[in-house]
Amino acid sequence: MNFDTSKPHPARVYDWMIGGRENFPADREAARRILELSPDVRRSFVENRRFLGRVVSHLVDQGIRQFLDIGAGLPASGNVHEIAHAIAPHTRVVYVDHDEIVLAHARALMAGSDRVRVVGGDATQPQRILDEPVVRDFIDWSQPVGLLMVALLHFVSDEDDPARIVGTFRDALPAGSFLAISHGGVEGWEDRKEQIRKASQAYVRTRAEIAGLFAGFELLEPGLVDLALWRPTAADPAPTGLYGGVGRLPAGT
């Protein structure tokens, strides 16, 4: 299989930011440009990973036994299945990504697991993901699902309409399901929005815009907040500029 490693990819940039090794010179150069623009962003990437861990732990504690992770990214320490299986070993996890390098690594890592599946799919085509045989059959759609869109939707342009994407998944979810989102924010530095997009390929948005993605869900406490402040384990967490929240789909939605 041929991979184009001459262009940076968000999953591999993220991998470098959190100390991974599955990245290439173009990814590292893109990461350095991001750090020049915002030196604290590397900590934000690390905190995003911690947010994911807290979310998964909480949802498993709430009885969720199946997760659909869209834009899962490269395998790294603290994966969804590792966290979930430490609490409830029979939890099912489906990872979805569109990058061939991500898929190759994930499939190699998950080979032989009867509780984890890896599927190719583009988040901008949500119905095609839902129609994938593995997604359709491995997930029990009569039971609540934990839908994870962590550090994903800020790579979706306004033209591709992130609200449409979330809405398509929402309409397929059973009542009692949960949606987790983390997303780059732009509050207080809107004038750097275009710079950020060029450096990181990210479409950062306002808190109100991000909150709108939870339409139809009831936000859990503490609501949509800086993700370091979402049920933190640290005594005095430092803000990151990334927003995070979790919503529950009530009956009758």
Side-chain angles (χ1 to χ4, degrees):
M1 185 178 295
N2 294 321
F3 302 123
D4 181 4
T5 61
S6 64
K7 296 180 181 179
H9 186 277
R12 298 194 296 268
V13 172
Y14 182 90
D15 177 73
W16 185 83
M17 288 283 194
I18 64 172
R21 295 180 293 180
E22 306 300 337
N23 49 75
F24 299 92
D27 307 305
R28 295 190 282 273
E29 178 58 29
R32 292 184 186 103
R33 289 198 301 270
I34 296 170
L35 291 173
E36 288 173 2
L37 189 62
S38 181
D40 293 333
V41 76
R42 192 169 196 170
R43 183 179 60 79
S44 298
F45 279 67
V46 173
E47 289 296 336
N48 182 74
R49 194 73 180 176
R50 292 172 179 165
F51 167 76
L52 173 65
R54 296 195 302 275
V55 166
V56 172
S57 295
H58 178 72
L59 295 189
V60 174
D61 287 343
Q62 294 300 303
I64 294 297
R65 294 296 181 267
Q66 49 187 1
F67 288 90
L68 181 58
D69 186 358
I70 310 297
L74 283 159
S77 177
N79 277 313
V80 173
H81 72 279
E82 293 175 338
I83 297 165
H85 289 169
I87 306 169
H90 297 297
T91 302
R92 295 187 177 196
V93 179
V94 177
Y95 292 116
V96 181
D97 207 284
H98 75 283
D99 182 78
E100 291 298 332
I101 294 180
V102 169
L103 294 171
H105 281 280
R107 285 169 177 152
L109 183 65
M110 296 301 115
S113 173
D114 64 348
R115 294 292 170 178
V116 181
R117 297 290 184 271
V118 180
V119 176
D122 188 331
T124 64
Q125 299 175 316
Q127 192 58 53
R128 293 185 67 173
I129 292 174
L130 291 166
D131 290 339
E132 281 283 340
V134 170
V135 175
R136 188 181 64 238
D137 300 333
F138 190 67
I139 296 289
D140 180 355
W141 293 97
S142 71
Q143 299 297 315
V145 177
L147 175 62
L148 307 175
M149 293 182 153
V150 174
L152 167 69
L153 294 171
H154 51 223
F155 295 116
V156 174
S157 69
D158 294 338
E159 290 73 20
D160 282 322
D161 194 357
R164 170 192 63 85
I165 293 168
V166 176
T168 301
F169 284 111
R170 178 196 62 222
D171 293 346
L173 292 173
S177 294
F178 292 86
L179 166 68
I181 293 174
S182 68
H183 195 299
V186 73
E187 304 291 339
W189 31 284
E190 288 84 350
D191 58 328
R192 298 168 69 186
K193 192 172 184 178
E194 187 60 21
Q195 283 180 285
I196 294 167
R197 190 192 66 75
K198 289 180 179 178
S200 65
Q201 306 174 49
Y203 295 82
V204 289
R205 296 182 169 96
T206 66
R207 183 181 182 278
E209 289 172 327
I210 300 166
L213 299 174
F214 285 96
F217 292 87
E218 298 173 344
L219 276 170
L220 305 186
E221 291 294 335
L224 181 65
V225 295
D226 188 291
L227 59 78
L229 305 178
W230 196 89
R231 306 187 180 214
T233 54
D236 188 20
T240 65
L242 299 173
Y243 286 103
V246 178
R248 183 179 184 275
L249 188 66
T253 299

